[in-house]
Amino acid sequence: MKRRRENRTAREQPLILVVDDFQDNREMYAEYLRFQGFRVAEASDGQGALDQAFRLRPHLIVMDLSLPGMDGWEATRRLKQDDRTRHIPVVAVTGHALAGHSKGAREAGCDSFLSKPCLPDVLLKEVHRMLEGEKTPRSRSKGGR
Amino acid sequence: MARIASLVTSSQRRSGRPSAAASRLAFAEFLLACDDPAECAQRALEWLGEHADLRHGLCAAVDPEQGRLSGLAGRGLAPSEVSGFGLDLEDRDHPLVAALYAKQPILLPVGAEARKLLPPPLDQSTCLLLPLPLTPLAGKADLKAGLLALSGVFQSTSPELMWIADVLGRRLARLRSLLALAVTERRLAREKTLLYSVINAVPDPVLLTDTEGRMLLANQRAEMLFAAQERESEGRRRAIALNNMLLSAALSQQAMGGVQTRRELPLVNPEDGSDLLFELLSAVTRDAREGTGVVSILRNVTDLREATEEIEENYRKLRLAEQSARAERDRLDLIIDSVADPIVVTDPTGNIVMMNPPADRLFTVPKQAGVAAARAVRANDAHFTSFVSNVFLTDTGSRWLGECSLTDPVSLVASPVEAVAGKILSEHGEVIAVVTILHDRTEAIEKAELYEQLKRASEELEEKVGQATAELLRQNELLQRQHVELEQASALKSQFLANMSHEFRTPLNAILGYTNMLLQGVSGAMSQQQKRSLLRIDSNSQHLLSIINDILDISRIEAGKMPLHVDEFAARDLLAEVMAEVEPIIARAKLPVATELEPKLPKVLSDRQKVKQIVQNLLTNALKFTQNGGVRVRASYDPKTDQVAIAVADSGIGIARHDQAKIFDDFRQADNSPTREYGGAGLGLSICRRLASMLGGRIKLTSELGRGSTFTLCLPRRLRRK
């Protein structure tokens, strides 16, 4: 578990928590979001995600659903049940393109759903959209074909 | 007509007239009152003893029937002497018989002669013999009633003796005639009764009528028919009246005819009202005293008539029976002749009496036949004769069953023959003839053999079927097991593919992401060479992703996890969308793509996403395999089949006929060689086919090698959910 806190350039920049157990993807999104000017925190499992969220109160959480231990659905459910973190938008990202995943994610409380492969700029657009207060979540982005 | 002679022997003579007169009167009164001759005689002797001093006396009476003179009463005599006395009247020389016919009393002196004539004690003294009566009876002078033999002391012929002899004699004569009259009357009455019983015994009615037709005499049968009794029923009286009328009519006709004739007389039976028929036989009797009468005898011929009718009826029946018997015989002949089996009738000596044509064929040498035929007939004769003689020699039962081999003289084919013989018996139980029916058993035996073969074959077949069934069951079980295993394998495969897809995506995500970032210049500016390389990485990664997506689609469809989202949409919008998404590829292919839409294209109810996927795939394929010319997309609607068709036609390389079916298989291209010209995993059409099938439609292909292909998606306008 690596934490990169050295990139705290501007305090006013929104803090994004990226949760993914696959290090390369997690760090890729984190690097790109930092490159785009966000502050980024990272977690590699469900419990870590909860700990970070309660401690850091991020502006947005990018949540991979297939996680070891507590999975992304359960972590999201707990975040949404807690008053401290309920308001934080959760963007679910999953490599499982099967039907039912997005539905399960929505039921767990995810505000948005993206399927892998998801290019960094696609994620960036979604993050901007969610932070700008567009509360109507998009069902699916590119990914089918 | 007897006369009594009395011989008075009086020892004492009595005087005193008045008393004598009174005594005579009393005696005369007694005689008139008394009907018994013996008692009259006894009293007469007593009276003489009292009035004429008679000591011993015997009174004998003439019995004209017997022709004898018998003892009637006695005085001073033992009773046995009286009853034992008897003389034959024919013996005229006998003194006593002579005395009977004498006109005067006769004195018989005592002597040896007298002793022989009279019973003791009359033989001891002189006897006076008096014939009874003394004076002759009118018209019958010589007939005497009897004789009195008296002994004792007496005075010649006293008036008392004379008187007694007269009155007693007359009385006895009278009594005798009365007796004779009574006997005659009794005899007459008996004869009349006999006569009646005789005519009553006649079973036929017999009657005597006078000339007026009145019935004078009738027997019981006649009375039953013609005489009405009191208190008889109305019906019976009427029947009798009718009978009388019919009888008098018949009799008067008879009288007019005059001659004795027989005629029929119908009458009614008064007992039950039934009709009776009589034959009337009448004769006129002429009697001087009774006048003319008619004697009629009726003979009941009712039964006779019935019998006649019955005989006629029987005769008629006999005739009919004879006719039907003749018809029966004709029919029988016809039947026997038409029977295909030989029938032979043999008499007890073994000679053939009758044969039908099939039998004739066996036992007669055919014309122009050879030695073999004659031999066959002889052999047949021998076989048959031995069989028939067996039948004659056997007593048990009237039927006989046997088998022998007979040879057809024409074809010379020997056949096993079953012979059934029946004995025909006379009334006395003697065998008159034997009827034999010969039945060729060749066919039956063949049939039995065939049946056996068939049965064996059937059994074998049954066994084989049983084995096959068992094998089938075993195979079935195996298949089921394999099916389960396959299903498990298929599920595992689907799960594996889904997992693999996920596992592929995760690194691809990093590859594509980092490439994207590098191209965006996240890591600083790059040379053109670097940029080109990155674009190659990017496009190959995209291709890899599309293959992975295809595999995922197939695994979803096979796992039945491909959901359908049915809604209504316009084909026009859908095509525009596809065109927009395929635009980059069109631009790269540098080919014109034309879209045609039928003016009145209805809206489609189906899974929009999947229709779009199919059309997009068909279009990208068309662009991929076309070098020159162009691609045309056309949407149409067929109201007859209620189907919407979207056809994608290209002018590309085309597909050979023998490859056309293959291209819908998984991982297939027409060119499946490793060095093939066109990329792609070969999953696109396979997925299209499966998706079209899910939507209730299909994909048609028409193609010609080198000239182009047309893929047409046909869909029901409205998808029916299962």
Side-chain angles (χ1 to χ4, degrees):
Chain A
M1 202 188 279
K2 286 185 181 177
R3 285 178 190 172
R4 296 185 177 181
R5 298 278 176 107
E6 70 276 358
N7 240 5
R8 239 185 268 167
T9 46
R11 244 196 180 280
E12 61 273 13
Q13 287 298 324
L15 177 65
I16 311 290
L17 175 61
V18 176
V19 188
D20 200 324
D21 64 323
F22 187 57
Q23 189 185 346
D24 286 7
N25 279 336
R26 187 178 70 235
E27 287 182 356
M28 178 185 78
Y29 288 136
E31 191 184 340
Y32 189 71
L33 288 172
R34 280 195 195 101
F35 173 76
Q36 293 297 341
F38 289 99
R39 287 184 295 148
V40 178
E42 296 173 37
S44 61
D45 58 22
Q47 192 54 54
L50 287 181
D51 291 346
Q52 293 280 61
F54 291 139
R55 193 164 56 83
L56 302 171
R57 312 280 175 86
H59 293 85
L60 187 139
I61 300 169
V62 175
M63 181 76 82
D64 184 25
L65 293 175
S66 303
L67 294 171
M70 186 193 295
D71 63 22
W73 292 281
E74 184 55 33
T76 307
R77 205 160 10 249
R78 295 199 182 180
L79 289 170
K80 289 296 178 184
Q81 279 168 1
D82 198 301
D83 284 342
R84 294 170 289 177
T85 52
R86 179 171 297 166
H87 64 282
I88 302 171
V90 177
V91 174
V93 181
T94 179
H96 282 291
L98 290 175
H101 277 236
S102 65
K103 196 180 170 213
R106 221 172 290 283
E107 276 167 7
C110 295
D111 299 275
S112 175
F113 184 88
L114 294 171
S115 61
K116 287 180 183 174
C118 176
L119 294 178
D121 55 347
V122 174
L123 177 66
L124 179 69
K125 260 190 228 170
E126 191 62 14
V127 168
H128 277 305
R129 194 176 66 85
M130 295 308 287
L131 287 178
E132 277 159 20
E134 284 185 34
K135 280 292 169 187
T136 39
R138 284 172 62 185
S139 63
R140 258 171 250 174
S141 77
K142 268 191 165 183
R145 261 186 81 105
Chain B
M1 315 248 174
R3 208 161 25 151
I4 295 171
S6 62
L7 184 69
V8 179
T9 313
S10 54
S11 54
Q12 229 169 351
R13 208 170 133 198
R14 292 230 180 139
S15 54
R17 300 234 175 214
S19 72
S23 173
R24 279 191 189 190
L25 189 66
F27 181 68
E29 280 174 356
F30 168 78
L31 275 186
L32 279 173
C34 183
D35 285 343
D36 186 10
E39 205 177 332
C40 290
Q42 193 63 50
R43 281 295 284 270
L45 290 176
E46 301 298 331
W47 193 85
L48 283 175
E50 201 175 322
H51 296 284
D53 302 327
L54 175 71
R55 211 180 301 153
H56 306 290
L58 173 72
C59 179
V62 170
D63 186 347
E65 306 276 317
Q66 301 279 327
R68 281 179 74 83
L69 186 68
S70 308
L72 196 60
R75 181 175 164 82
L77 265 73
S80 61
E81 295 290 346
V82 176
S83 59
F85 179 79
L87 282 174
D88 196 343
L89 288 174
E90 294 298 308
D91 192 3
R92 290 281 182 136
D93 295 336
H94 193 284
L96 292 182
V97 177
L100 190 59
Y101 292 104
K103 288 193 172 62
Q104 292 298 318
I106 292 166
L107 266 178
L108 194 66
V110 178
E113 201 179 342
R115 276 192 199 100
K116 289 173 193 165
L117 296 177
L118 289 164
L122 285 174
D123 56 350
Q124 298 302 318
S125 54
T126 302
C127 263
L128 182 68
L129 300 177
L130 282 169
L132 297 176
L134 203 59
T135 53
L137 289 166
K140 296 194 175 173
D142 57 340
L143 271 180
K144 298 295 181 180
L147 187 74
L148 273 177
L150 307 169
S151 75
V153 183
F154 63 90
Q155 290 179 326
S156 183
T157 52
S158 70
E160 281 77 16
L161 276 179
M162 296 305 129
W163 181 75
I164 275 292
D166 226 41
V167 293
L168 180 63
R170 287 180 194 280
R171 182 61 188 159
L172 284 178
R174 174 81 182 144
L175 280 176
R176 166 72 31 95
S177 71
L178 277 175
L179 187 69
L181 199 66
V183 167
T184 310
E185 271 180 358
R186 269 207 303 280
R187 202 180 62 233
L188 279 174
R190 205 171 62 240
E191 281 171 1
K192 190 182 168 189
T193 311
L194 259 171
L195 195 66
Y196 266 108
S197 64
V198 166
I199 65 164
N200 279 337
V202 174
D204 296 331
V206 176
L207 45 94
L208 176 67
T209 45
D210 62 12
T211 44
E212 309 296 318
R214 279 189 295 268
M215 207 186 307
L216 301 174
L217 188 76
N219 69 351
Q220 282 175 350
R221 289 282 299 163
E223 278 179 344
M224 193 201 82
L225 286 169
F226 301 107
Q229 307 292 318
E230 280 181 27
R231 298 204 311 272
E232 269 185 342
S233 72
E234 181 67 20
R236 200 173 156 135
R237 268 209 302 281
R238 228 175 318 175
I240 285 168
L242 182 66
N243 285 348
N244 277 310
M245 243 159 61
L246 289 164
L247 178 66
S248 358
L251 285 176
S252 59
Q253 277 184 5
Q254 187 105 9
M256 279 192 285
V259 206
Q260 179 190 330
T261 49
R262 287 160 184 265
R263 51 183 303 126
E264 286 192 343
L265 175 63
L267 293 177
V268 180
N269 187 352
E271 297 291 329
D272 55 10
S274 62
D275 286 334
L276 295 173
L277 186 72
F278 287 92
E279 192 179 68
L280 174 63
L281 195 72
S282 57
V284 177
T285 58
R286 293 177 205 285
D287 188 280
R289 274 194 298 169
E290 298 293 333
T292 307
V294 180
V295 175
S296 304
I297 298 171
L298 301 170
R299 282 180 58 202
N300 191 341
V301 293
T302 314
D303 293 345
L304 204 63
R305 164 68 64 85
E306 282 172 2
T308 311
E309 283 171 359
E310 202 173 316
I311 284 168
E312 279 172 4
E313 174 66 15
N314 280 344
Y315 179 67
R316 204 178 56 79
K317 278 183 185 165
L318 197 67
R319 287 278 299 277
L320 279 175
E322 202 179 68
Q323 273 176 8
S324 81
R326 193 177 300 128
E328 188 70 27
R329 219 188 78 178
D330 291 349
R331 205 156 51 232
L332 208 63
D333 283 348
L334 208 67
I335 289 168
I336 286 175
D337 282 350
S338 63
V339 170
D341 284 342
I343 298 175
V344 183
V345 181
T346 327
D347 69 9
T349 59
N351 290 326
I352 289 172
V353 178
M354 198 180 109
M355 290 193 278
N356 64 348
D360 203 48
R361 194 176 139 94
L362 277 176
F363 296 107
T364 310
V365 182
K367 286 174 188 170
Q368 295 135 12
V371 186
R375 198 184 297 133
V377 169
R378 274 205 302 281
N380 288 350
D381 263 338
H383 285 308
F384 182 70
T385 308
S386 87
F387 169 75
V388 171
S389 57
N390 269 332
V391 175
F392 277 117
L393 290 173
T394 312
D395 286 335
T396 49
S398 58
R399 281 171 66 84
W400 179 262
L401 201 71
E403 275 189 44
C404 55
S405 174
L406 297 180
T407 307
D408 183 70
V410 179
S411 64
L412 294 175
V413 173
S415 312
V417 172
E418 184 185 60
V420 182
K423 289 177 187 173
I424 297 178
L425 302 176
S426 71
E427 288 174 10
H428 313 295
E430 295 161 346
V431 179
I432 312 170
V434 168
V435 177
T436 311
I437 300 175
L438 303 167
H439 182 64
D440 192 337
R441 295 204 60 236
T442 310
E443 206 174 322
I445 288 168
E446 279 171 4
K447 272 183 186 165
E449 277 171 6
L450 270 176
Y451 175 75
E452 272 306 311
Q453 282 176 10
L454 208 62
K455 210 167 120 183
R456 255 199 321 275
S458 164
E459 278 165 8
E460 277 170 23
L461 195 67
E462 208 169 295
E463 198 179 330
K464 278 180 185 166
V465 166
Q467 284 172 357
T469 309
E471 175 67 14
L472 214 60
L473 277 173
R474 207 175 56 77
Q475 295 276 7
N476 216 354
E477 205 178 309
L478 203 67
L479 276 174
Q480 257 174 4
R481 211 157 52 226
Q482 282 174 351
H483 178 69
V484 170
E485 280 168 7
L486 275 174
E487 267 191 344
Q488 285 170 351
S490 174
L492 277 174
K493 186 188 88 176
S494 296
Q495 187 56 47
F496 170 77
L497 286 171
N499 285 344
M500 284 311 286
S501 153
H502 177 256
E503 294 307 315
F504 284 141
R505 276 159 195 271
T506 305
L508 261 176
N509 195 47
I511 294 168
L512 285 167
Y514 275 111
T515 310
N516 180 261
M517 278 166 65
L518 285 170
L519 285 169
Q520 280 183 46
V522 172
S523 306
M526 276 177 292
S527 66
Q528 277 303 108
Q529 185 64 41
Q530 285 171 325
K531 215 168 189 174
R532 206 160 51 236
S533 300
L534 275 177
L535 280 172
R536 289 270 165 88
I537 291 169
D538 187 56
S539 84
N540 277 289
S541 301
Q542 290 286 356
H543 183 59
L544 185 60
L545 179 64
S546 80
I547 291 169
I548 291 166
N549 281 336
D550 283 352
I551 291 171
L552 182 64
D553 276 351
I554 285 179
S555 66
R556 273 158 150 185
I557 292 167
E558 283 186 346
K561 285 180 180 171
M562 181 67 97
L564 277 174
H565 301 279
V566 178
D567 54 12
E568 205 172 51
F569 59 91
R572 177 187 301 274
D573 299 344
L574 185 115
L575 283 185
E577 224 170 278
V578 170
M579 290 300 281
E581 287 201 16
V582 182
E583 180 56 39
I585 303 168
I586 295 171
R588 216 176 310 152
K590 296 187 179 77
L591 285 169
V593 176
T595 53
E596 287 174 38
L597 286 135
E598 223 172 56
K600 285 179 183 174
L601 207 59
K603 285 202 167 184
V604 182
L605 185 76
S606 196
D607 187 316
R608 179 191 171 107
Q609 186 58 38
K610 292 182 176 57
V611 177
K612 182 175 156 190
Q613 188 177 336
I614 294 166
V615 176
Q616 198 165 325
N617 191 288
L618 293 179
L619 184 54
T620 49
N621 266 347
L623 290 168
K624 185 154 75 179
F625 292 102
T626 305
Q627 305 299 324
N628 301 305
V631 175
R632 216 176 46 189
V633 181
R634 187 174 185 279
S636 60
Y637 170 69
D638 183 358
K640 276 188 218 160
T641 54
D642 198 26
Q643 278 195 334
V644 172
I646 299 171
V648 178
D650 63 54
S651 55
I653 56 169
I655 303 155
R657 187 161 290 277
H658 61 271
D659 287 329
Q660 287 183 8
K662 292 185 203 162
I663 57 158
F664 291 100
D665 293 348
D666 292 346
F667 304 106
R668 274 284 194 171
Q669 282 189 356
D671 177 7
N672 212 17
S673 62
T675 57
R676 63 191 180 195
E677 198 175 340
Y678 302 97
L683 284 172
L685 281 173
S686 168
I687 291 167
C688 286
R689 181 177 58 83
R690 287 164 203 249
L691 288 177
S693 166
M694 272 181 74
L695 300 176
R698 63 201 187 94
I699 294 170
K700 285 195 285 192
L701 165 65
T702 54
S703 180
E704 202 181 324
L705 200 59
R707 304 197 73 143
S709 308
T710 303
F711 287 87
T712 311
L713 168 67
C714 297
L715 285 175
R717 190 175 60 82
R718 301 186 71 80
L719 171 63
R720 277 187 210 136
R721 283 180 170 277
K722 282 166 189 168

